[in-house]
Amino acid sequence: MENVVLEMIEYQPEHQPWFEKFNRQWIEEYFWMEPIDYEVLQRPDEYIISKGGKILVATCNKEIAGTVALKYVDPTTYEFTKMAVDSKFRGLRVGQALGEEAISKARNLGATKIILYSHTVLVPAVSLYKKLGFVEVPVDGPYKRSNIKMELKLV
């Protein structure tokens, strides 16, 4: 795709169908939907935004291409979660742009640390997280399908 114009915008309620669709695609391809997935993906305003978190939406040539959420954990920590890129936009560095924007947003929110939970079967994702500066730490998460926890110190 030539002349790719990537733009990062703040989530609006009308973005919910894409947030759910993109995330369900990869979750169902590799794992299974957990009850919390349905709740978060169908009601992100309630589960992410109203609790102090943020969701970013990537557009590629004005078309919605991907999403990522920063879930509020405590005043200095956010969880990097629900990052997904529509398959037709993979390979265009949309995930990297979302990751960089989320890190910047977390800093602006006063975070000193970002954590994430993933699974080592998601090789491109784990590779991207390492490229963004995340390091592996002991797993302690609430998610049945995660076998890796990573964190990024922002100070």
Side-chain angles (χ1 to χ4, degrees):
M1 203 182 247
E2 290 182 34
N3 299 323
V4 173
V5 178
L6 277 181
E7 187 182 0
M8 299 296 145
I9 59 176
E10 289 263 339
Y11 172 88
Q12 298 297 319
E14 61 265 23
H15 296 131
Q16 183 278 329
W18 285 277
F19 183 68
E20 182 175 357
K21 176 186 170 207
F22 298 161
N23 276 285
R24 279 186 78 136
Q25 282 174 340
W26 76 261
I27 292 170
E28 291 173 344
E29 180 178 343
Y30 292 96
F31 306 105
W32 60 91
M33 292 282 288
E34 293 183 34
I36 190 68
D37 292 317
Y38 291 103
E39 294 171 11
V40 172
L41 295 176
Q42 290 172 0
R43 298 197 307 279
D45 290 287
E46 180 182 336
Y47 283 88
I48 305 280
I49 307 292
S50 72
K51 295 183 164 89
K54 295 285 181 187
I55 300 173
L56 302 172
V57 176
T59 65
C60 186
N61 298 340
K62 306 278 185 210
E63 204 176 329
I64 295 176
T67 63
V68 66
L70 285 169
K71 181 179 162 194
Y72 177 87
V73 176
D74 63 45
T76 61
T77 309
Y78 283 82
E79 179 185 341
F80 185 96
T81 186
K82 300 293 184 244
M83 181 161 87
V85 175
D86 188 17
S87 57
K88 81 182 209 181
F89 297 105
R90 292 196 188 135
L92 299 177
R93 300 187 185 273
V94 175
Q96 183 173 336
L98 279 165
E100 290 167 356
E101 187 72 16
I103 291 166
S104 176
K105 177 65 75 178
R107 270 196 180 98
N108 293 339
L109 292 167
T112 58
K113 180 171 75 173
I114 302 172
I115 60 171
L116 67 81
Y117 299 93
S118 191
H119 196 287
T120 51
V121 74
L122 302 171
V123 174
V126 173
S127 173
L128 172 62
Y129 303 146
K130 288 178 181 174
K131 188 175 180 181
L132 291 169
F134 284 86
V135 295
E136 198 170 338
V137 295
V139 180
D140 66 353
Y143 308 107
K144 291 179 180 69
R145 67 172 172 258
S146 68
N147 71 352
I148 186 172
K149 179 181 180 183
M150 301 178 88
E151 75 176 33
L152 175 65
K153 295 206 183 291
L154 300 176
V155 288

